[in-house]
Amino acid sequence: MNPGQRQRAQHDDPAASTACRPDCWEDDFSINTLDEAEFVVRPPINSWDESHFRNRRNIISDELLAGQSFRDFVERDPWPIPGDQDREGYCAGFDTSYWMAGLADYLKVMRAATGLGIEVNSLLDFGCASGRVTRHFCTQSGIPEIWGSDINRRHIRWLCQYMPPQLKPVFNSSMPSLPLPDHSMDVTCAFSVFTHIDTFETSWLAELRRVLRPGGLCYLTVHNEDTWVAMRELDETNRLIKSMLQGGQFAMDELWQPLPAERLVYRFRQTGPYRSQVFHSNAYLQRVWGRFFDIQQILPRHHQRQSVVLMTRPATSQSQLRSAA
Ligand SMILES: C[S@@+](CC[C@H](N)C(=O)[O-])C[C@H]1O[C@@H](n2cnc3c(N)ncnc32)[C@H](O)[C@@H]1O
């Protein structure tokens, strides 16, 4: 029997195929599939009065609001807020801060798109979790085509149940592949996602590039050397520092040296589906990410301690466009 025949024989034998596969083979790819615990559902933000937004100016500057009424943003969002355990560490215990932090990121993406003359009719928020930023694209913008993806199936479950109907939530596995056509998005963004992708980094860049239309905006956040310097104000109780210490390859005093390598990966353990903290120097971003996109700007600490890489997809030659059609 040659190897091809042996494979066929096993496949045809129900006992053999059960023995070599988990009961639910999808679990190999979709971590958290078995997590069916009830969600904690917090009240919508439009049910909170003014007194709960007192720290608004620390999170959203008047300049970012650009003359728009803050209360109008609040009134436009009647959708529930996820409990702390489904917020990926963002603003535990502070629902209004969680919501405002997402609003600030939404406003920054829209401002970047406008600055580059990009009209936004379609958008993908890659690694969007339970929709901290995505919800604002849905409730505030009128963008007709909005997609959110994540590797954590529990987040997709939340989005399907509690986020506005114009959002299309899709699960993606760690293998870079999105169920979206070539050139279909005006904007792709990812907040605090490439800070956790190690092996498939360039493949994911290629995938985001594929779905973006020529001239479209790719808005990604990173840990870069500005993050490294900003981390000097933190101590061992901080979530990021704790995870970096866990692997035993990092010591606090290293922060007072320059970023030790062009690209650094610190591994950690957690129950969730990602297990690394990744740092990129600006030189690396230019040399490697610049192969996939035109880097317009790297904005230091534009997403809390993370920096934002603003990139556009280079214009595609007519022949490439024809073969994609
Ligand atoms: C720190 S959280 C940020 C969540 C969200 N972008 C936000 O700003 O609130 C990182 C998110 O990226 C997701 N993630 C990590 N690796 C991913 C991958 N390869 N593909 C899609 N999502 C991924 C995680 O499941 C998680 O929801």
Side-chain angles (χ1 to χ4, degrees):
M1 191 187 274
N2 68 33
Q5 281 172 319
R6 196 176 307 126
Q7 225 173 354
R8 252 197 318 278
Q10 270 186 3
H11 188 74
D12 291 339
D13 172 359
S17 59
T18 319
C20 65
R21 280 181 171 173
D23 282 352
C24 179
W25 65 267
E26 269 195 307
D27 290 350
D28 284 354
F29 299 95
S30 54
I31 299 163
N32 287 347
T33 294
L34 298 178
D35 181 0
E36 298 295 336
E38 287 289 306
F39 286 119
V40 171
V41 182
R42 307 275 306 143
I45 216 69
N46 68 358
S47 62
W48 298 80
D49 68 42
E50 286 307 317
S51 63
H52 291 94
F53 298 99
R54 263 193 237 110
N55 63 340
R56 194 269 288 167
R57 281 192 175 75
N58 298 335
I59 301 176
I60 307 175
S61 64
D62 288 338
E63 186 221 348
L64 203 50
L65 279 182
Q68 301 170 87
S69 145
F70 176 70
R71 192 69 215 179
D72 286 352
F73 284 108
V74 172
E75 295 302 335
R76 282 194 288 265
D77 190 344
W79 299 89
I81 301 290
D84 288 353
Q85 57 276 55
D86 292 310
R87 297 204 316 220
E88 292 287 343
Y90 281 92
C91 311
F94 297 95
D95 291 5
T96 50
S97 300
Y98 164 84
W99 182 87
M100 287 190 286
L103 179 63
D105 287 326
Y106 154 76
L107 290 169
K108 286 176 189 176
V109 173
M110 296 309 278
R111 188 168 69 175
T114 306
L116 290 163
I118 296 168
E119 191 184 325
V120 190
N121 288 309
S122 50
L123 175 139
L124 164 71
D125 188 357
F126 171 62
C128 68
S130 46
R132 187 183 63 87
V133 187
T134 332
R135 65 186 302 132
H136 298 287
F137 291 112
C138 299
T139 53
Q140 312 290 349
S141 73
I143 298 171
E145 190 73 22
I146 302 171
W147 293 67
S149 81
D150 204 279
I151 200 173
N152 184 334
R153 191 243 180 199
R154 181 171 167 83
H155 289 322
I156 301 305
R157 227 159 44 80
W158 166 275
L159 300 173
C160 289
Q161 206 164 333
Y162 296 111
M163 285 292 102
Q166 63 269 50
L167 175 64
K168 295 176 182 68
V170 288
F171 172 78
N172 69 258
S173 79
S174 56
M175 305 296 286
S177 169
L178 292 166
L180 288 168
D182 295 357
H183 306 159
S184 55
M185 295 289 123
D186 294 318
V187 174
T188 55
C189 58
F191 295 88
S192 200
V193 181
F194 280 82
T195 48
H196 303 300
I197 292 179
D198 180 7
T199 316
F200 292 115
E201 175 184 299
T202 55
S203 312
W204 272 118
L205 289 173
E207 186 62 358
L208 294 187
R209 181 186 194 277
R210 181 185 68 75
V211 302
L212 195 62
R213 71 157 164 86
L217 169 66
C218 184
Y219 185 113
L220 307 181
T221 74
V222 291
H223 292 136
N224 70 348
E225 45 266 84
D226 297 294
T227 314
W228 189 257
V229 169
M231 286 166 62
R232 292 174 186 164
E233 68 202 28
L234 303 177
D235 63 24
E236 285 91 343
T237 60
N238 172 267
R239 214 165 164 251
L240 169 61
I241 300 269
K242 263 204 242 173
S243 65
M244 288 164 65
L245 287 169
Q246 210 193 63
Q249 288 163 323
F250 167 75
M252 289 299 281
D253 54 10
E254 284 174 37
L255 288 175
W256 270 263
Q257 304 296 321
L259 190 67
E262 269 208 328
R263 184 174 184 274
L264 279 167
V265 180
Y266 296 100
R267 300 235 161 252
F268 64 98
R269 300 180 75 79
Q270 65 158 355
T271 52
Y274 57 94
R275 317 263 164 88
S276 59
Q277 300 288 4
V278 185
F279 286 74
H280 302 92
S281 66
N282 288 354
Y284 175 92
L285 295 169
Q286 295 286 355
R287 185 166 58 78
V288 179
W289 291 26
R291 295 168 193 257
F292 296 87
F293 295 97
D294 290 336
I295 299 186
Q296 300 293 339
Q297 256 183 306
I298 300 176
L299 303 166
R301 300 191 56 183
H302 204 56
H303 174 62
Q304 302 171 8
R305 285 183 199 86
Q306 294 180 24
S307 298
V308 166
V309 193
L310 272 191
M311 307 184 287
T312 49
R313 186 189 159 141
T316 308
S317 72
Q318 282 311 307
S319 59
Q320 278 176 287
L321 277 174
R322 264 196 303 278
S323 63

